[in-house]
């Protein structure tokens, strides 16, 4: 969270005899203190500093600099077989444009020109094709996520022939799970894509987007509301698919938000007010796997997720943010933010 303060930062030492010092902004200058150096803190600090150049912006992080970004980071483990990178938290990246827009927006605001991109700060993001491989409990596996476009012509994308062969194998496997399995998958993806196109701007970004509603309403009401978005997710899956494997492919993303797809007849509305995901959460599958929706795709930062955090930190400092690590906030009061440094 960001706290707008005019009285400065009070630094308290760890011993009882230590003295306090204050870092005051210039007379009439607003001092914004961002508490926490995760990716959210780094991003909001950059946007504030680049948007309002009259502000002094300080970011306080209790851990060392190599922990900036919080769980969005990486660490190396050396073994006799070599050194291997592990991710502290996320292992895939979605909505690539949201990350890239932060860099272009802030660079434009601080007068660095429109040619300053994420890559100029050390962040290169590539698309994973296929998006991933799903492994079932019986050992069966299938690859998913074959875009019909290459976003920004990623040089890392596999040759089109190899992609076509992999996608053909995936289609054949879906059809082996049930008759017309791939056609049913396409039907499901069409509904989920409409939910994504309407849900992302209107309900997540909170930007009213009227043109996205007709497709949303059509998919919600077609075929006697088979894909009605407020049904339990399993109701929609049962209406489209026969195979349990196809249903699993279409719904395991519910786990990302701590929910399950299954109807609970002991709960009102089948449990959608508690632990059951509503069908609209199918937009998560579209976000990862839809072949033509340009918002969709699974991406990876080159060098691991520490590349994201390091680039965010570089951007913050380029915008004039003062980053103070090894600094623990103990309380926030009217006279300042009290810390232990």
């Amino acid at each position: 969270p960001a706290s707008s303060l005019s009285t400065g930062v009070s630094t308290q030492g760890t011993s009882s005899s230590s003295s306090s010092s204050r870092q005051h902004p210039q007379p009439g200058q607003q001092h914004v203190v961002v508490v926490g150096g995760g990716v959210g803190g780094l991003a909001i600090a950059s946007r504030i500093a680049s948007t309002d150049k009259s502000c002094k912006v300080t970011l306080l992080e209790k851990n060392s600099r190599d922990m900036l970004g919080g769980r969005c980071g990486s660490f190396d483990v050396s073994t006799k077989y070599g050194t291997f990178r592990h991710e502290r938290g996320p292992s895939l990246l979605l909505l690539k444009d949201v990350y890239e827009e932060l860099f272009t927006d802030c660079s434009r605001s601080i007068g660095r020109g429109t040619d300053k991109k994420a890559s100029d700060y050390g962040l290169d993001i590539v698309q994973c094709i296929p998006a991933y491989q799903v492994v079932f409990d019986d050992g069966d596996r299938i690859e998913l996520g074959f875009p019909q476009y290459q976003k920004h012509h990623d040089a890392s994308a596999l040759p089109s022939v190899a992609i076509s062969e992999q996608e053909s194998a995936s289609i054949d496997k879906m059809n082996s799970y049930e008759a017309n399995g791939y056609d049913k998958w396409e039907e499901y993806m069409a509904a989920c894509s409409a939910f994504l196109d309407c849900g992302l701007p209107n309900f997540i970004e909170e930007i009213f987007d009227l043109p996205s509603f007709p497709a949303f309403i059509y998919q919600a009401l077609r075929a006697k509301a088979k894909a009605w978005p407020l049904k339990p997710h399993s109701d929609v899956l049962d209406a489209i698919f026969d195979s349990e494997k196809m249903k699993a492919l279409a719904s395991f993303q519910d786990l990302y938000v701590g929910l399950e797809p299954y109807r609970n007849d002991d709960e009102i509305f089948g449990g959608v007010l508690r632990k059951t995901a509503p069908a609209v959460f199918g937009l998560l599958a579209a976000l990862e796997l839809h072949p033509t929706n340009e918002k969709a795709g699974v991406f990876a930062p080159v060098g691991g997720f520490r590349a994201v955090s390091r680039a965010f930190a570089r951007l913050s400092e380029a915008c004039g943010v003062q980053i103070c690590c090894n600094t623990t906030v103990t309380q926030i009061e009217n006279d300042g933010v009290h810390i232990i440094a």
Side-chain angles (χ1 to χ4, degrees), residues 267-284:
E267 299 285 349
I268 188 172
F269 303 125
V272 294
L273 299 180
R274 300 195 67 186
K275 295 183 179 180
T276 298
V280 70
F281 277 36
L283 65 83
L284 296 172

Side-chain angles (χ1 to χ4, degrees), residues 96-112:
K96 172 187 177 184
D97 291 347
V98 172
Y99 292 80
E100 294 179 331
E101 286 168 3
L102 173 70
F103 292 90
T104 55
D105 289 351
C106 291
S107 295
R108 189 179 299 115
S109 296
I110 60 178
R112 301 292 175 90

Side-chain angles (χ1 to χ4, degrees), residues 4-311:
S4 179
L5 302 174
S6 60
T7 53
V9 178
S10 172
T11 304
Q12 298 180 338
T14 56
S15 66
S16 59
S17 60
S18 63
S19 61
S20 295
S21 62
R22 291 180 184 270
Q23 300 174 6
H24 288 279
Q26 296 298 316
Q29 183 184 33
Q30 188 178 42
H31 189 183
V32 176
V33 179
V34 179
V35 179
V39 288
L42 290 167
I44 194 63
S46 298
R47 287 203 178 273
I48 293 172
S50 64
T51 302
D52 188 346
K53 301 178 183 63
S54 66
C55 282
K56 173 181 174 63
V57 182
T58 301
L59 183 145
L60 306 177
E61 167 56 42
K62 68 178 181 179
N63 295 304
S64 59
R65 187 177 177 87
D66 63 354
M67 291 296 290
L68 282 174
R71 294 190 180 278
C72 182
S74 317
F75 63 94
D76 295 322
V77 175
S78 296
T79 72
K80 63 180 181 180
Y81 302 105
T83 300
F84 301 90
R85 186 183 72 240
H86 295 259
E87 304 299 345
R88 288 201 299 260
S91 55
L92 56 83
L93 186 148
L94 305 174
L95 294 171
K96 172 187 177 184
D97 291 347
V98 172
Y99 292 80
E100 294 179 331
E101 286 168 3
L102 173 70
F103 292 90
T104 55
D105 289 351
C106 291
S107 295
R108 189 179 299 115
S109 296
I110 60 178
R112 301 292 175 90
T114 58
D115 58 339
K116 276 283 187 178
K117 305 181 294 294
S119 58
D120 295 312
Y121 293 89
L123 177 59
D124 293 293
I125 304 173
V126 296
Q127 188 165 10
C128 302
I129 305 174
Y132 43 66
Q133 183 181 81
V134 176
V135 181
F136 296 100
D137 56 3
D138 63 359
D140 185 23
R141 56 193 66 203
I142 182 173
E143 292 175 331
L144 298 175
F146 299 94
Q148 293 177 13
Y149 63 92
Q150 292 183 11
K151 203 166 193 179
H152 306 307
H153 306 287
D154 286 334
S156 63
L158 297 174
S160 59
V161 173
I163 292 173
S164 177
E165 291 173 352
Q166 289 176 292
E167 185 174 10
S168 178
S170 175
I171 292 171
D172 290 343
K173 183 149 284 192
M174 286 186 180
N175 288 332
S176 75
Y177 293 154
E178 62 179 87
N180 302 313
Y182 181 70
D183 290 340
K184 294 177 181 179
W185 178 260
E186 290 281 276
E187 176 189 354
Y188 178 72
M189 279 288 115
C192 292
S193 182
F195 296 165
L196 173 63
D197 285 338
C198 186
L200 184 63
N202 291 287
F203 304 113
I204 298 176
E205 296 174 340
E206 298 183 349
I207 301 172
F208 183 62
D209 181 31
L210 184 61
S212 66
F213 278 95
F216 177 88
I217 294 170
Y218 170 75
Q219 289 293 341
L221 297 179
R222 65 176 291 274
K224 298 180 180 179
K226 179 165 64 173
W228 181 250
L230 299 182
K231 288 180 179 179
H233 203 168
S234 59
D235 285 10
V236 173
L237 301 174
D238 291 342
I240 297 176
F241 301 109
D242 298 316
S243 163
E244 292 303 316
K245 287 185 176 180
M246 292 298 293
K247 294 175 187 178
L249 290 177
S251 62
F252 72 83
Q253 294 85 1
D254 293 344
L255 300 175
Y256 296 173
V257 290
L259 298 175
E260 59 184 37
Y262 309 114
R263 161 180 282 276
N264 184 343
D265 289 324
D266 294 329
E267 299 285 349
I268 188 172
F269 303 125
V272 294
L273 299 180
R274 300 195 67 186
K275 295 183 179 180
T276 298
V280 70
F281 277 36
L283 65 83
L284 296 172
L287 184 58
E288 293 182 344
L289 303 172
H290 197 277
T292 60
N293 191 309
E294 292 196 359
K295 299 183 184 72
V298 171
F299 299 87
V302 176
F305 275 83
R306 61 184 159 206
V308 177
S309 298
R310 289 172 179 175

